[in-house]
C-alpha cells in the first residue's frame, strides 16, 4: 500500500485532499502515516480515526491534552508542537502533501523532501522563502516535487512531453480578486471581511486576502520561476476573471497550450495524488455553452504593487524572498488585527525589502533552514516596528 502523509490536513487544501483519499477507499487503499493540523483538534482527530493514521500532530503544543483526549481509544498516536511536526514529516512515505499555510510549512516540507517519493506542494511560501534549499533537498534525495497550486499544476500539465528548449513563456492567469476593477482610493478602506470574499475559489482566509492584494499572484510568479527554472522576464500575468483557464505555456512556434477546468482544487490535488496516472475525479465538467465567454485583461502593477515587488524580489535573488514572504505574512496579520489598512500591506512589504532585501540577496551560497529563518525573523521584527510607527 502507498504510504501517505498530509501536512495541514484540517485546512482548505487538506480537507479537499482527505476527501479524495476517502473517496479512493481511505484506509483500505492507503497506508496513512501522519495527519497534521493546528487549532482544529476535533477535525484532526476525526480524520486520523477514519483513515487510521499512525500519528496525528497539532502544531500547537498547548493543545496536546485536547488531542490526546480526542484520540482516546484509537490506535492513533497524538503529538504536538513544531518539533513533533518535523518528526512526523521524517517518517517515510511515498507521497506527502505540504499543505500547511505560511513559512511554518517550510521545516516539515524539507523533512518530507528527505525521503524520496513525491512531495505534492501547496505551500508556495516554502518555494518563495527557500526555493533553492527545497529544490536541492528534493534533488539530493530523489524526491519529485509536484505542484498543487492550480496555476502551476496547469503549467506542469501543459509541459508534459515537451522539450524545455521549446518553451518561450509562461502565462499565469489571475482572477484579479474581489477588487479587480476598484481604484486605489476605493481600496484604501477595504475591511478584512470584504477582502476574504474571493469571487471564484473557496480557500483559506490568508490566501483569499492574498488574492485580493494580488500578493498571491506575486508569490506564484516566484513559485513558477523556482519550479520550472524559468527566467522572470518570460513569466507573464494575464488577468482572467472567470478562472477557467488555470494557466498556459507559450512555445517557440507560437503555439499556446492551456489547461482548463472548474474552480475546484480537487482537480490539481487529484492530479498530484494520482500522478503519473489520471483517475476520475468528482469535479464539475465544464459546459462551454453555459460559460459563453472567457475574458482577459492586462495586469495593473500600479493598483496592485505586489506584482512589481515580486519582480523586484526575483531580480534581487538570494534570500530576498524570505524577507518578502515574512513581511507579507506579518502585514496580513496586522491587517487582520485591524492595525493597518489594506493598502498598507504592500507599503510594509516594500519598506521591509528596502531595509533588508539587498542584505538578504547577498546570501546565495550554503543556504540552510537556519539562515532562511534569520531573514524571516528579521523581516517580522521590521514589520512589528513599522506597524507600531505607522498604525
Ligand atoms: P488553511 O488556512 O485553510 O489551512 C492551513 C492548514 O495549516 C491547516 O491545517 C492549519 O491547521 C494548519 N496550520 C495553521 N497554522 C499552522 C502552523 N503555525 N503550523 C502548522 N500548521 C499550521 O490554508 P489553505 O488550505 O488555504 O492553504 C494551505 C497552503 O496551500 C497555503 O500555502 C496556500 O497558499 C496554498 N494554496 C491553497 C489553495 C486553496 O485553494 N486553499 C490554492 C493554492 C495554494 P488548523 O486549521 O487546524 O488551525
Ligand atoms: Mg494559485
Amino acid at each position: 500500500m502507498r504510504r501517505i502523509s498530509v501536512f495541514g490536513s484540517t485546512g482548505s487544501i487538506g480537507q479537499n485532499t482527505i476527501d479524495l483519499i476517502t473517496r479512493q477507499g481511505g484506509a483500505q487503499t492507503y497506508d496513512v502515516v501522519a495527519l497534521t493540523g493546528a487549532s482544529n483538534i476535533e477535525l484532526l482527530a476525526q480524520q486520523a480515526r477514519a483513515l487510521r493514521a499512525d500519528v496525528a500532530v497539532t502544531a500547537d503544543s498547548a493543545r496536546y491534552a485536547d488531542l490526546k483526549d480526542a484520540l482516546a481509544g484509537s490506535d492513533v498516536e497524538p503529538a504536538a508542537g513544531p518539533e513533533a511536526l518535523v518528526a512526523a514529516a521524517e517518517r517515510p512515505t511515498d507521497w506527502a502533501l505540504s499543505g500547511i499555510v505560511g513559512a511554518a510549512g517550510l521545516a516539515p516540507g524539507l523533512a518530507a523532501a528527505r525521503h524520496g517519493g513525491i512531495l505534492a506542494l501547496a505551500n508556495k511560501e516554502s518555494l518563495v522563502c527557500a526555493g533553492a534549499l527545497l529544490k536541492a533537498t528534493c534533488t539530493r534525495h530523489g524526491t519529485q516535487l509536484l505542484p498543487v497550486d492550480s496555476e502551476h499544476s496547469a503549467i506542469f500539465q501543459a509541459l508534459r512531453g515537451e522539450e524545455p528548449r521549446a518553451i518561450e513563456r509562461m502565462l499565469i492567469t489571475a482572477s484579479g480578486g474581489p477588487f479587480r476593477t476598484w481604484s486605489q482610493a476605493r481600496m484604501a478602506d477595504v475591511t478584512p471581511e470584504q477582502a476574504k470574499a474571493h469571487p471564484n475559489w473557496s480557500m483559506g482566509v490568508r490566501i483569499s486576502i492574498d488574492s485580493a492584494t494580488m500578493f498571491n499572484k506575486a508569490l506564484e510568479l516566484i513559485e513558477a520561476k523556482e519550479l520550472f527554472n524559468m527566467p522572470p522576464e518570460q513569466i507573464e500575468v494575464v488577468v482572467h476573471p472567470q478562472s477557467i483557464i488555470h494557466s498556459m505555456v507559450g512555445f517557440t512556434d507560437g503555439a499556446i497550450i492551456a489547461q482548463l477546468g472548474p474552480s475546484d482544487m480537487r482537480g490539481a490535488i487529484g492530479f498530484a495524488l494520482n500522478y503519473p496516472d489520471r483517475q476520475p475525479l468528482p469535479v464539475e465538467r465544464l459546459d462551454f455553452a453555459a460559460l459563453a465567454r472567457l475574458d482577459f485583461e492586462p495586469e495593473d502593477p500600479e493598483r496592485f504593487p505586489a506584482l512589481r515587488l515580486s519582480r523586484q524580489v526575483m531580480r534581487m535573488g538570494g534570500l530576498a524572498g524570505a524577507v518578502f514572504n515574512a513581511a507579507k505574512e506579518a502585514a496580513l496579520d496586522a491587517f487582520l488585527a485591524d492595525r493597518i489598512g489594506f493598502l498598507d500591506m504592500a507599503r510594509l512589504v516594500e519598506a521591509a525589502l528596502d531595509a533588508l532585501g539587498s542584505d538578504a540577496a547577498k546570501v546565495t551560497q550554503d543556504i540552510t533552514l537556519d539562515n532562511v529563518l534569520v531573514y524571516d525573523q528579521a523581516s517580522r521584527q521590521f514589520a512589528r516596528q513599522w506597524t507600531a510607527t505607522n498604525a
Side-chain angles (χ1 to χ4, degrees):
M1 272 210 270
R2 202 144 73 115
R3 295 165 302 174
I4 62 173
S5 287
V6 180
F7 298 92
S9 63
T10 54
S12 168
I13 288 287
Q15 290 185 52
N16 278 314
T17 308
I18 298 294
D19 175 71
L20 292 177
I21 290 170
T22 304
R23 287 168 190 266
Q24 292 185 357
Q28 263 82 53
T29 308
Y30 294 103
D31 176 0
V32 179
V33 178
L35 300 181
T36 83
S39 60
N40 199 339
I41 303 295
E42 284 311 312
L43 179 60
L44 176 61
Q46 185 197 315
Q47 292 174 335
R49 280 175 186 273
L51 293 174
R52 297 197 215 115
D54 298 337
V55 59
V57 191
T58 163
D60 184 352
S61 315
R63 303 295 304 275
Y64 176 73
D66 295 339
L67 181 61
K68 190 163 178 272
D69 285 351
L71 289 169
S74 76
D75 291 332
V76 185
E77 181 189 328
E83 289 82 23
L85 264 185
V86 173
E90 281 165 353
R91 296 187 183 212
T93 52
D94 305 300
W95 191 89
L97 178 101
S98 172
I100 290 172
V101 65
L106 177 59
L110 284 169
R114 278 187 219 109
H115 41 66
I118 288 177
L119 181 61
L121 189 79
N123 181 267
K124 62 193 90 181
E125 297 90 336
S126 49
L127 275 179
V128 173
C129 66
L133 176 62
L134 183 62
K135 289 191 294 180
T137 307
C138 287
T139 306
R140 197 174 321 120
H141 299 274
T143 301
Q144 185 170 12
L145 198 56
L146 281 185
V148 167
D149 212 349
S150 57
E151 294 77 2
H152 306 74
S153 176
I155 291 172
F156 184 89
Q157 293 181 51
L159 287 176
R160 278 181 113 181
E162 298 290 349
E163 287 292 331
R165 62 185 158 72
I167 304 168
E168 195 169 67
R169 57 187 181 142
M170 293 182 176
L171 300 117
I172 300 192
T173 51
S175 70
F179 313 128
R180 176 174 60 88
T181 59
W182 290 32
S183 67
Q184 272 220 319
R186 197 171 162 210
M187 280 189 261
D189 299 321
V190 157
T191 64
E193 276 318 308
Q194 287 173 300
K196 278 177 202 169
H198 196 277
N200 306 331
W201 297 90
S202 153
M203 308 183 288
V205 166
R206 303 188 72 93
I207 186 173
S208 298
I209 295 178
D210 283 349
S211 299
T213 50
M214 293 201 74
F215 268 112
N216 181 48
K217 214 47 59 182
L219 299 179
E220 289 181 356
L221 282 171
I222 303 172
E223 184 184 12
K225 165 186 173 279
E226 295 294 341
L227 273 175
F228 305 111
N229 299 314
M230 198 65 186
E233 325 68 79
Q234 285 164 258
I235 313 174
E236 299 165 35
V237 172
V238 181
V239 177
H240 164 44
Q242 293 94 348
S243 301
I244 294 295
I245 298 180
H246 294 325
S247 279
M248 308 179 257
V249 180
F251 295 91
T252 46
D253 60 357
I256 292 191
I257 298 188
Q259 189 262 347
L260 287 71
S263 312
D264 183 335
M265 282 309 295
R266 291 177 306 176
I269 298 168
F271 178 82
L273 179 64
N274 299 315
Y275 183 82
D277 296 335
R278 283 190 190 270
Q279 297 287 339
L281 293 175
V283 301
E284 191 190 315
R285 273 34 180 179
L286 291 183
D287 173 349
F288 283 89
L291 277 172
R293 55 183 276 183
L294 298 177
D295 296 301
F296 305 96
E297 296 167 11
E299 66 171 73
D300 185 349
E302 291 303 314
R303 281 183 308 129
F304 296 100
L307 296 172
R308 172 174 57 78
L309 297 174
S310 164
R311 295 206 166 88
Q312 183 184 330
V313 168
M314 291 191 284
R315 274 194 306 275
M316 295 176 102
L319 289 179
V323 172
F324 179 65
N325 181 66
K328 193 241 17 138
E329 289 188 26
L332 180 47
D333 287 331
F335 174 65
L336 282 170
D338 274 330
R339 301 196 60 208
I340 63 173
F342 185 78
L343 298 176
D344 290 330
M345 288 191 271
R347 292 190 188 112
L348 193 172
V349 174
E350 182 154 22
L353 275 176
D354 287 348
L356 302 165
S358 53
D359 199 23
K362 290 187 194 123
V363 189
T364 55
Q365 301 290 319
D366 303 319
I367 294 174
T368 61
L369 178 57
D370 285 343
N371 54 23
V372 172
L373 293 179
V374 165
Y375 285 100
D376 177 285
Q377 292 306 318
S379 184
R380 288 174 204 268
Q381 173 65 26
F382 177 90
R384 275 190 290 277
Q385 279 161 1
W386 193 94
T387 302
T389 25
N390 292 274

